[in-house]
Amino acid sequence: MGTVATWRESSPVVRLLMVNQFGVMLGFYLILPNLSAHLSGDLGLSAALVGLVLGVRTLSQQGMTLFGGTAADRLGCRWLILTGCALRSVAFVMFAVYDSLPGIMAAAVVTGISGAVFTPATRTYLTRAAGENKLAAYALFNMAGNTGALFGPLLGSVLLLWDFRLVAAVSAVVFAVLTAAQAFLLPPQPRAKSGQSVFGDWRYLMSDRPFLVFVAAVSVLFVAYNQLYLLLPMEITRVTGSAGSVSLVFVVMAVIGMVGSVPLATRVPRRLGRGRAVALGVALCGLAFVPTAFSGALQGGRPPGESISSASVPGLLLSALPVLAATVVLAVGHTIAISLSQEVAVSYAPPGLTGTYIGMFSMAAGLSAAGGNFLIGYLSDLGDRYGMRWLPWLFLVVLGAAAAWAVARMRHIPEGHDSTPARRAAAKRPPRVEESLP
């Protein structure tokens, strides 16, 4: 089924969530690519403090999505979506107003908490609204996000010609509009109850070994994807001699995500089965980094620091070819596996714990990406020091292959929205865990 047909067959509520995701990513990527430059340039913060601010934002979001997911199960998704979007609007106003480090740090924390509130709630609401068409809904959802992530930086770069505060203000307006629109248009949604306490829910989650193994394996997707912000920009800058060439990486990734989200995410599993399709996507995310191990040999003798104006366009493209090839394969692998892995992860959840499972999935993904980036950055520095530029790339290839093998070997991957007969039967009754004291 094509993208347009999938959109037409979706319910009005699902379409509203697609528009919401486009707006969320548009507003977020309006400000995010320009934030570090504002902190270091306009405010004069050191690189260490800039890294601290960005790290606090990431940790406050990814470290709390489990709580946000549990809150969605307990309190309902609609109010959490509205609260999260409103908080993000407030956070971006704070970035526009505050110049001091405490104010900026507070804005970073509020930004992260808002994402931890509305992200699992939005996905939980989407999961319940999509019914049996979860995979197609997730694919549309990710396509909408990729579209917003493509146009956000473009609009932000235009607004930045005036002032960063204008960028932050427009981002805040986007989230304020989303909050108001959903307050009027997003209907309440009934809640399923797990029949036990919060701690009982978490104990059940932590005892679900197949789910935890699956999440650990597919977290490699996020480690690989985050090289869009770490290794790939550094490598394309090194081989072309121009920081402006970094935009090519993001454009390629966003275009493939926009065009391929629905076809790749729905047709590949239909042919291979869910388990093999996820394994293929993870494997491609690892194999994507094979070409970049050879990118240094394609410089043609031109020193890395030479400006783009002195290099021919064909020579520039030839130098960038391995990085762009890596980006294409990474985009295809990620597009195949990301929606599907989210759908499979939800298939493990019994009634009443959908948000909790989504929150755990998001938390594991974020923490894996952060830890993976630290290790890969260390390997990159080590490789530069000892003349082994292939070291971080080889690590990513091996990591992807190991994760793909782990997924392929798993025996408990649900093969459909209704899962296996045993899990369907188990899902009809509350989780068999002793209830802890609230």
Side-chain angles (χ1 to χ4, degrees), residues 102-153:
I104 293 297
M105 196 68 74
V109 171
V110 176
T111 301
I113 291 175
S114 67
V117 169
F118 73 71
T119 298
T122 302
R123 291 192 178 277
T124 303
Y125 195 111
L126 176 64
T127 299
R128 294 169 179 166
E132 297 182 1
N133 299 318
K134 293 181 182 65
L135 182 56
Y138 285 156
L140 274 177
F141 190 79
N142 290 324
M143 184 205 69
N146 284 322
T147 306
L150 175 64
F151 288 103

Side-chain angles (χ1 to χ4, degrees), residues 226-246:
N226 268 264
Q227 301 321 302
L228 285 171
Y229 309 101
L230 184 62
L231 284 187
L232 291 175
M234 291 192 300
E235 182 67 5
I236 199 170
T237 301
R238 184 181 72 83
V239 299
T240 63
S242 169
S245 59
V246 172

Side-chain angles (χ1 to χ4, degrees), residues 74-413:
R74 297 273 166 171
L75 305 177
C77 299
R78 182 176 180 272
W79 285 109
L80 289 174
I81 294 172
L82 298 178
T83 301
C85 287
L87 281 176
R88 179 135 311 172
S89 181
V90 170
F92 288 166
V93 169
M94 293 170 69
F95 275 124
V97 171
Y98 291 123
D99 292 334
S100 64
L101 181 59
I104 293 297
M105 196 68 74
V109 171
V110 176
T111 301
I113 291 175
S114 67
V117 169
F118 73 71
T119 298
T122 302
R123 291 192 178 277
T124 303
Y125 195 111
L126 176 64
T127 299
R128 294 169 179 166
E132 297 182 1
N133 299 318
K134 293 181 182 65
L135 182 56
Y138 285 156
L140 274 177
F141 190 79
N142 290 324
M143 184 205 69
N146 284 322
T147 306
L150 175 64
F151 288 103
L154 298 178
L155 178 58
S157 63
V158 173
L159 296 175
L160 196 63
L161 296 175
W162 282 270
D163 186 51
F164 174 82
R165 289 173 176 79
L166 178 61
V167 176
V170 171
S171 299
V173 169
V174 169
F175 278 95
V177 170
L178 290 175
T179 304
Q182 290 172 109
F184 285 102
L185 300 176
L186 194 65
Q189 192 179 62
R191 302 192 302 271
K193 297 182 180 180
S194 67
Q196 57 184 9
S197 70
V198 170
F199 292 113
D201 290 346
W202 290 348
R203 287 176 60 188
Y204 177 81
L205 170 70
M206 299 309 295
S207 69
D208 193 344
R209 186 174 178 273
F211 169 75
L212 296 177
V213 171
F214 177 79
V215 168
V218 299
S219 64
V220 171
L221 287 171
F222 302 92
V223 176
Y225 183 82
N226 268 264
Q227 301 321 302
L228 285 171
Y229 309 101
L230 184 62
L231 284 187
L232 291 175
M234 291 192 300
E235 182 67 5
I236 199 170
T237 301
R238 184 181 72 83
V239 299
T240 63
S242 169
S245 59
V246 172
S247 61
L248 293 174
V249 172
F250 288 94
V251 169
V252 168
M253 193 76 185
V255 168
I256 292 176
M258 288 169 53
V259 175
S261 284
V262 174
L264 289 174
T266 56
R267 293 175 186 173
V268 175
R270 195 178 303 133
R271 289 178 175 270
L272 301 181
R274 278 167 162 71
R276 291 180 179 178
V278 173
L280 173 63
V282 174
L284 287 175
C285 286
L287 291 172
F289 300 105
V290 171
T292 48
F294 304 99
S295 62
L298 298 178
Q299 287 185 4
R302 183 162 49 85
E306 189 176 341
S307 67
I308 190 172
S309 60
S310 61
S312 65
V313 173
L316 178 67
L317 292 176
L318 182 62
S319 298
L321 186 59
V323 182
L324 296 179
T327 305
V328 169
V329 179
L330 175 63
V332 171
H334 186 267
T335 303
I336 289 172
I338 186 61
S339 298
L340 182 58
S341 64
Q342 292 165 346
E343 194 261 357
V344 170
V346 168
S347 297
Y348 284 102
L353 293 185
T354 300
T356 300
Y357 272 62
I358 290 174
M360 183 64 183
F361 182 88
S362 299
M363 185 173 73
L367 297 180
S368 297
N373 275 355
F374 176 80
L375 178 57
I376 290 165
Y378 172 77
L379 292 176
S380 180
D381 291 339
L382 201 64
D384 289 342
R385 189 180 310 155
Y386 295 103
M388 299 184 296
R389 290 187 180 275
W390 46 265
L391 187 59
W393 308 112
L394 178 62
F395 172 76
L396 286 164
V397 172
V398 172
L399 187 64
W405 177 84
V407 172
R409 295 280 295 175
M410 288 187 66
R411 300 178 181 177
H412 301 286
I413 293 182

Side-chain angles (χ1 to χ4, degrees), residues 31-57 94-96 98-108 160 164-165 168:
I31 191 171
L32 184 66
N34 303 307
L35 182 58
S36 59
H38 167 66
L39 296 177
S40 60
D42 299 337
L43 303 186
L45 299 183
S46 66
L49 288 177
V50 172
L52 179 62
V53 171
L54 298 179
V56 164
R57 191 221 53 94
M94 293 170 69
F95 275 124
Y98 291 123
D99 292 334
S100 64
L101 181 59
I104 293 297
M105 196 68 74
L160 196 63
F164 174 82
R165 289 173 176 79

